[in-house]
Each structure stands twice: as C-alpha cells, then as structure tokens.
C-alpha cells in the first residue's frame, strides 16, 4: 500500500531533481529516500523517475501521479485548516431561536458584532412561540434561544440574563392615549388589546393582566393568528392597541405611534434571557455565548445567577 511518507519523499525528489538534494532537504539519508521511492514505484507498478548521473527526470506517469498527489495534499491541508477553524467556532452554523424583533435593539447589535468577527459562520434565525423554542432546544434543532422572561424552570441552569427591554404601547395615531408622552398601566383599562395567537395571554400581556387589578375594567384580549407586523397593521387600522418590545419601535409603521409604558413614573421593562442545551458541542454556540457574556455581564442581583 502507498503511504504518505513515501509520496512526500517522491515529491521532494521531483522538486529538487535529485535524490541527494531531496534527502538533505528532508533531513534524512539518501538511501532512505531511494528505498521509499523504489517501494512506491513497486506498489504503483510504474517508474516515477528516469535516473541519470546528473540527476533525475520525471517520467510521464510520474508527472501525472505526483501532480495528482499535490492536489490531494492541498485538499488535506485545506480540510485540516477547515476542521481547526470549525473547532474554534470560526466556521459552521448557529441556529438562533427568538421571540423578539430583529428590527433593532441589542440582539440585532450582538448579531452584527458576531458576524463581523466570524463571517464564515452561517446563522439561521428561527422565530417561534416560547413552547416551540423549548422543544427546539430539547431536540437540539435550535442551538440558542433569546426570549423575554424565564420560559422554563427546567432550563434555568442554562439561562443567561441579558438585558431589560422597555415595554411600549402601540396605538393608532388617532387614539386618545396617543397625545400622552407616556402611558400608565391603569390607562389601558377597558382597551381592546391585540395579541398574537401563538403567545396569547403570556409574556408582555401576562404583565397586563397582573398590573390591572380591576376585574370589571380589564382590557379585552383579542387573539389574532398573524405575524407581529400584521398586528401593527391592525393597530394602524384602528382595531385596537398592542404591547411590544422597544426593539420594534426602530421601524416606522404608518398610522402607528409608540408610547412608553410606565408605572409610578418608572419605565416598565421585560427581562431577556439566553437559553441553550448543555448537550450541544457546537463551537459556534460557545463563541456566541462568549460574546453575550462579554457584552452583557451577569447581573449579580438576578435570581438565575446561582
């Protein structure tokens, strides 16, 4: 059988046109090079070199064989470099599940920095409900999820607190509350609230139910089986109001205004966390987690921090 050492020696002979000079370059005895090349020729059943007292010349078969071997060695080196880069998280894929907007905000900024540092990592973004994100993490079809609130206590050990995002009220331009600089929770009593069906009654809107304690004046929750953009289109049409994260407000939606939601003069916020499956050995995931830790140091007061 052929071995790579014999091929390497034959390539050196071809480069230096001499067994002696090839041996000097390889740091071995000339007899070692001669034996290995002869053994390789025996395996192939052809002569690779024409030997003369002034040196050696490649035969036609030798030229074709060694040219092919150079390509093989080049491919092997490239494969090794690729494997090392993938192992360092500089190549590969990262599947990011989310339940927030990428129109703006800190998650978008983090993605921009990550892709600038690791441009050869392919990022696949998946927007799902919180329950579907949990299933994806457990099935390892999603590497990491960024979601508001602690979505599942079972994943708390692999939860990283990130940032707090202000809660905003999306209103039709003609709505009576649109004239206010900000809106209190109590100001939403009796409003018609539009929510996405996949997350109906949870996340931002579960805050709403807890914050407004007058049962006879609770807002009317109306589920809509449409994406977030279409919820805002319905707001623009005057069908109701909705609660959104601050990241959404970086996009202009005709006919819609955003007002900060406050209580006792303070901003109302929702905490965001990153979740991942500790069984994952994806190096790109480790790189992304390192970036998040760098940009958002752990808040010591957070209950998920040990």
């Amino acid at each position: 059988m052929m071995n790579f050492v014999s091929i390497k020696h034959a390539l050196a002979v071809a480069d230096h046109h001499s067994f002696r000079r090839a041996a000097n370059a390889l740091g071995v005895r000339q007899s070692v090079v001669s034996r290995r090349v002869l053994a390789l020729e025996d395996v192939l059943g052809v002569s690779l070199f024409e030997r003369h007292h002034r040196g050696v010349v490649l035969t036609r078969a030798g030229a074709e064989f060694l040219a092919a071997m150079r390509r093989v060695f080049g491919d092997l080196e490239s494969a090794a470099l690729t494997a090392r880069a993938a192992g360092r998280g500089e190549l590969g894929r990262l599947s990011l599940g989310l339940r927030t907007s990428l129109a703006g905000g800190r998650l978008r900024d983090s993605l921009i920095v990550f892709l600038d540092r690791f441009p050869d990592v392919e990022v696949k973004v998946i927007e799902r409900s919180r329950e579907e994100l949990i299933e994806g993490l457990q099935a390892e079809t999603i590497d990491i999820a960024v979601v508001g609130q602690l979505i599942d206590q079972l994943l708390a050990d692999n939860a990283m607190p990130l940032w707090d995002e202000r809660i905003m009220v999306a209103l039709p331009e003609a709505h009576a509350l649109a004239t206010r600089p900000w809106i209190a929770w109590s100001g939403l009593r009796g409003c018609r609230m539009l929510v996405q069906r996949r997350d109906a009654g949870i996340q931002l809107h579960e805050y709403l139910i807890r914050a407004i304690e007058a049962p006879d004046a609770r807002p009317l929750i109306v589920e809509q089986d449409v994406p977030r953009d279409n919820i805002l289109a319905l707001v623009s049409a005057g069908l109701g109001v909705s609660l959104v994260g601050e990241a959404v407000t970086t996009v202009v939606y005709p006919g819609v205004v955003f007002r900060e939601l406050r209580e006792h003069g303070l901003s109302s916020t929702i905490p965001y966390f990153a979740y991942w499956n500790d069984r994952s050995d994806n190096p790109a995931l480790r790189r992304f987690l390192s970036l998040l830790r760098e940009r958002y140091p752990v808040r010591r007061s957070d209950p998920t921090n040990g």
Side-chain angles (χ1 to χ4, degrees):
M1 295 181 62
M2 289 186 292
N3 67 64
F4 288 128
V5 175
S6 295
I7 297 171
K8 181 181 177 182
H9 284 203
L11 287 169
V13 173
D15 289 339
H16 294 280
H17 307 287
S18 164
F19 282 89
R20 179 179 57 80
R21 289 194 294 270
N24 290 337
L26 294 169
V28 299
R29 295 191 303 274
Q30 181 176 336
S31 59
V32 173
V33 177
S34 297
R35 285 198 305 271
R36 287 200 173 275
V37 172
L38 283 172
L40 179 59
E41 290 176 323
D42 288 343
V43 170
L44 295 173
V46 297
S47 294
L48 299 177
F49 300 98
E50 294 178 359
R51 293 152 172 88
H52 306 284
H53 67 280
R54 291 184 179 178
V56 297
V57 178
L58 280 170
T59 64
R60 181 172 181 179
E64 292 183 0
F65 173 75
L66 292 180
M69 288 300 98
R70 289 187 195 278
R71 293 193 294 271
V72 169
F73 278 116
D75 290 343
L76 287 173
E77 183 177 357
S78 176
L81 291 173
T82 298
R84 293 189 190 103
R88 293 191 298 266
E90 298 168 2
L91 286 175
R93 297 184 63 183
L94 177 73
S95 57
L96 169 65
L98 53 83
R99 194 74 196 105
T100 185
S101 173
L102 280 178
R106 301 180 187 180
L107 179 57
R108 176 179 176 274
D109 293 343
S110 297
L111 268 179
I112 291 173
V113 173
F114 180 75
L115 292 174
D116 182 61
R117 292 185 186 178
F118 308 106
D120 295 322
V121 174
E122 177 186 351
V123 176
K124 179 181 180 183
V125 178
I126 304 168
E127 184 172 359
R128 296 287 187 273
S129 69
R130 296 196 298 183
E131 290 75 14
E132 290 169 325
L133 291 177
I134 293 172
E135 293 173 0
L137 288 169
Q138 293 172 339
E140 299 184 55
T141 57
I142 294 175
D143 292 313
I144 185 169
V146 175
V147 189
Q149 286 288 60
L150 189 62
I151 59 176
D152 193 314
Q153 195 60 41
L154 294 176
L155 298 174
D157 289 342
N158 297 317
M160 181 193 304
L162 297 175
W163 57 77
D164 291 334
E165 186 171 310
R166 290 188 302 164
I167 302 174
M168 311 294 287
V169 185
L171 304 153
E173 284 180 334
H175 198 282
L177 294 175
T179 60
R180 302 183 182 182
W182 53 269
I183 299 171
W185 284 102
S186 58
L188 298 177
R189 289 176 179 168
C191 286
R192 181 185 177 91
M193 303 296 302
L194 305 180
V195 304
Q196 290 177 277
R197 175 168 295 174
R198 64 169 52 177
D199 275 351
I202 61 176
Q203 203 165 341
L204 295 180
H205 298 88
E206 66 189 11
Y207 276 56
L208 182 65
I209 298 302
R210 290 199 303 267
I212 301 177
E213 298 177 350
D216 58 337
R218 280 185 174 177
L220 173 63
I221 304 293
V222 181
E223 298 179 16
Q224 299 286 350
D225 193 12
V226 295
R228 182 186 299 107
D229 286 351
N230 283 336
I231 287 285
L232 294 174
L234 295 176
V235 170
S236 174
L239 271 67
V241 304
S242 188
L243 299 183
V244 298
E246 184 178 3
V248 174
T249 65
T250 58
V251 177
V252 175
Y253 293 91
V256 178
V257 296
F258 299 100
R259 296 291 180 264
E260 185 179 1
L261 190 60
R262 296 185 182 180
E263 191 63 26
H264 306 300
L266 300 177
S267 299
S268 295
T269 61
I270 187 167
Y272 274 81
F273 294 83
Y275 304 87
W276 66 96
N277 191 320
D278 60 0
R279 295 194 304 271
S280 174
D281 61 353
N282 184 352
L285 169 61
R286 295 196 296 270
R287 289 288 189 181
F288 193 62
L289 287 172
S290 295
L291 174 67
L292 292 178
R293 291 189 182 100
E294 170 192 324
R295 291 174 63 84
Y296 309 107
V298 175
R299 295 169 295 185
R300 300 298 176 187
S301 61
D302 196 284
T304 64
N305 181 27

